[in-house]
Amino acid sequence: MPRLHADADRAQWVPVTESYGLAGRRARKKAIRMLLGQANAAMGAVPRPGGGVAAWALSQATPWLMRRAAGRVLAWVWKAEPELLVVMAQVQEATPQVRTARAMMPMEYDDTVDFRSPHLGVGEKLELPMPSNGAPPLATYTWDTGTHLVTVTAVCSDRERFGTVIGAVDELARTVRIADDLTIGASPTVLRIDPS
């Protein structure tokens, strides 16, 4: 299975990693708390004072989950305000079931524009600053390599500030690339060139 790599600007982003150390733990917990709060609001649930416990538990489990993903998932939080913006990149096999699920998404997900990446070629970008279902603002970027789908999803907690951070998300999305497990020298007659 291919793995993802990206060159996130450390001045703007805190990576969510496999590390069990203290680095990024506080930012990770704030981001998870924001995502849980947005999910509860979308389902109409009333926020509970104990919601921080769930965020803490998920924060502790995240390094283990990232290790299990083995490079198929990358995630970052906005360094200045982790509770404002979370970005996740994912690669998955383009099975018929995955393609069917994408084709059955709501109509508002059809309003995409071309988005060029130096590593993945031309993909699609969708911005939903005000989703109709009351969900938080989000942006998705998708590239179809033929065998796999690479997606980058950004979720923002503030509709008014979504436009101010989307440029940084664009820059991050352009750095995402796939690394295949190839043995060097196994096929000296094959030249691999990034899509242009």
Side-chain angles (χ1 to χ4, degrees):
M1 183 73 164
R3 296 184 315 274
L4 293 176
H5 290 277
D7 301 316
D9 181 357
R10 292 297 182 109
Q12 292 184 313
W13 301 102
V14 176
V16 177
T17 68
E18 304 172 2
S19 171
Y20 290 95
L22 296 175
R25 182 178 290 177
R26 182 174 294 156
R28 188 169 64 225
K29 190 168 125 184
K30 287 181 180 179
I32 290 171
R33 185 179 295 141
M34 180 272 283
L35 292 173
L36 287 174
Q38 295 291 342
N40 285 337
M43 292 185 296
V46 178
R48 293 185 305 247
V53 174
W56 176 85
L58 280 172
S59 176
Q60 300 305 307
T62 298
W64 178 79
L65 295 171
M66 295 297 286
R67 188 167 291 177
R68 289 279 310 248
R72 295 184 309 271
V73 176
L74 300 175
W76 303 268
V77 296
W78 190 241
K79 187 172 186 177
E81 291 182 70
E83 64 279 358
L84 175 67
L85 183 63
V86 179
V87 178
M88 185 175 78
Q90 176 182 358
V91 61
Q92 59 185 335
E93 189 176 350
T95 64
Q97 295 83 0
V98 168
R99 292 190 183 280
T100 301
R102 284 182 52 79
M104 295 176 64
M105 293 178 84
M107 289 282 288
E108 64 184 330
Y109 286 84
D110 291 339
D111 195 17
T112 62
V113 296
D114 286 348
F115 185 82
R116 180 170 289 279
S117 159
H119 306 290
L120 298 170
V122 177
E124 298 178 341
K125 175 184 175 183
L126 170 71
E127 282 188 34
L128 293 174
M130 300 187 74
S132 59
N133 60 358
L138 64 92
T140 63
Y141 309 75
T142 308
W143 293 270
D144 189 339
T145 69
T147 58
H148 292 83
L149 291 177
V150 177
T151 58
V152 176
T153 304
V155 179
C156 182
S157 62
D158 189 337
R159 291 183 177 202
E160 293 179 4
R161 296 175 62 191
F162 178 73
T164 65
V165 294
I166 195 63
V169 178
D170 286 351
E171 290 176 19
L172 175 59
R174 285 191 180 95
T175 72
V176 174
R177 59 195 179 277
I178 292 179
D180 292 323
D181 292 326
L182 296 177
T183 305
I184 295 177
S187 180
T189 60
V190 175
L191 175 64
R192 293 174 59 83
I193 300 174
D194 285 338
S196 58

